Amino acid sequence: MLKAIPPRFTPDLLWAIAAMGHGDRIAIVDANYPAHALHTRVLPLAGIDTVQAGRMVTALLPIDDFVEPAAFWMSPDGRPDENFEVHALFRDAVQAAEGRAIPFASLERSAFYAEARGAFAVLTTADLRPFSCFLLTKGVVRTTAPPKESP
Amino acid sequence: MLKAIPPRFTPDLLWAIAAMGHGDRIAIVDANYPAHALHTRVLPLAGIDTVQAGRMVTALLPIDDFVEPAAFWMSPDGRPDENFEVHALFRDAVQAAEGRAIPFASLERSAFYAEARGAFAVLTTADLRPFSCFLLTKGVVRTTAPPKESP
């Protein structure tokens, strides 16, 4: 528990998003995702849904604007254009945090697994909504000011 | 590198101060301190002095107010009341972050080592000022509001 950061930010989550560099990806996935089969760094967010997790992560983690799309959601195999309400809700949360339009690409289930394997970490959630799985690419923080001491 | 947290907050530092609980202690020590001899979790802050490190840590970490003194500095063996400018500077930084008076106790060098051994982690700095070693006890964050998502 820290003064300025809510306790739902676990120590491992803070470590991971701070340790990630430009181009590294983080997966945010639903409760049915085979996280341990695909990833070595599995970070549980108990009681959090994917939209909340996306809002948490993007409050601190910048989204890439060098290479777009920098954000992805999972869609059913063979139906990449199917609409899911959770996809729109997640995108809204990310766009609000970034203050700009963020293009998302759709990855069919098998392709999502293949892309997600390379992610720096996966955040597992309690979300039961189907295809509520996302991949975000970290961007850069641009500043010419010297580092400030207080967060 | 995160949006709201300067890069001098290393991933391991963020992990440690978030993982610490009430009553756990963190040591912030000068460049001559035998950190690896006394601690298993040694977190380097290259290019940071102890006062800067104290300001960083207390921006996020609450200081205990259940058991006081919750803060300590190192003094020479046999001269516990000797004044060091860095002690006053460090205390000023901690008090400014907490917005209240924080009593510090003096621990002679040998006693400091003995107390510090139980610390959750030690932050090593580039500080060359003599007896620029400190120990801070984590307190609690009190709120009745539900956790907020943005930090």
Side-chain angles (χ1 to χ4, degrees):
Chain A
M1 182 69 228
L2 295 170
K3 288 181 188 176
I5 299 177
R8 54 174 61 190
F9 285 84
T10 65
D12 287 346
L13 171 57
L14 288 171
W15 184 91
I17 59 177
M20 287 169 63
H22 182 198
D24 286 337
R25 287 177 176 168
I26 190 163
I28 299 172
V29 301
D30 63 44
N32 288 299
Y33 183 90
H36 287 276
L38 295 169
H39 302 270
T40 53
R41 189 176 286 124
V42 178
L43 310 180
L45 289 180
I48 305 290
D49 68 35
T50 56
V51 176
Q52 293 173 309
R55 194 174 294 126
M56 288 165 59
V57 165
T58 55
L60 293 175
L61 182 118
I63 302 300
D64 196 22
D65 58 5
F66 282 44
V67 178
E68 292 184 323
F72 306 86
W73 56 54
M74 183 195 281
S75 52
D77 280 319
R79 305 198 306 274
D81 297 325
E82 187 165 335
N83 288 323
F84 291 90
E85 185 190 21
V86 71
H87 291 177
L89 294 173
F90 188 94
R91 184 175 54 196
D92 287 350
V94 170
Q95 291 186 151
E98 284 285 292
R100 62 186 174 95
I102 305 284
F104 276 67
S106 174
L107 289 169
E108 297 181 39
R109 194 174 66 97
S110 308
F112 186 95
Y113 288 162
E115 279 292 324
R117 269 185 191 277
F120 187 92
V122 58
L123 304 183
T124 58
T125 71
D127 206 313
L128 290 172
R129 289 170 285 191
F131 297 97
S132 186
C133 294
F134 304 90
L135 202 50
L136 297 174
T137 311
K138 187 171 181 177
V140 297
V141 175
R142 296 173 176 88
T143 176
T144 54
K148 290 196 185 84
E149 277 135 40
S150 57
Chain B
M1 183 69 228
L2 295 171
K3 288 181 187 175
I5 300 176
R8 55 174 61 191
F9 285 84
T10 65
D12 287 346
L13 171 57
L14 288 171
W15 184 90
I17 60 177
M20 287 169 64
H22 184 198
D24 287 338
R25 287 177 175 168
I26 190 163
I28 299 173
V29 301
D30 63 42
N32 288 299
Y33 183 91
H36 286 276
L38 295 169
H39 303 270
T40 52
R41 190 177 285 124
V42 178
L43 310 180
L45 289 179
I48 305 290
D49 67 36
T50 57
V51 177
Q52 292 173 309
R55 194 174 294 126
M56 288 165 59
V57 165
T58 55
L60 293 174
L61 183 119
I63 301 300
D64 196 21
D65 58 5
F66 282 44
V67 179
E68 293 184 322
F72 305 86
W73 55 54
M74 182 194 282
S75 51
D77 280 320
R79 304 198 307 275
D81 297 326
E82 188 164 335
N83 287 324
F84 292 89
E85 185 189 21
V86 71
H87 290 177
L89 294 172
F90 189 94
R91 184 175 53 196
D92 288 349
V94 170
Q95 292 186 150
E98 284 286 293
R100 62 186 175 96
I102 305 284
F104 276 67
S106 174
L107 289 170
E108 297 181 38
R109 195 174 65 96
S110 308
F112 186 96
Y113 289 162
E115 279 290 325
R117 270 186 189 277
F120 187 92
V122 58
L123 304 183
T124 58
T125 71
D127 206 311
L128 291 171
R129 288 170 286 191
F131 297 96
S132 187
C133 293
F134 304 89
L135 202 50
L136 297 174
T137 311
K138 187 171 181 176
V140 298
V141 175
R142 295 172 177 89
T143 176
T144 55
K148 291 197 184 82
E149 278 135 37
S150 57

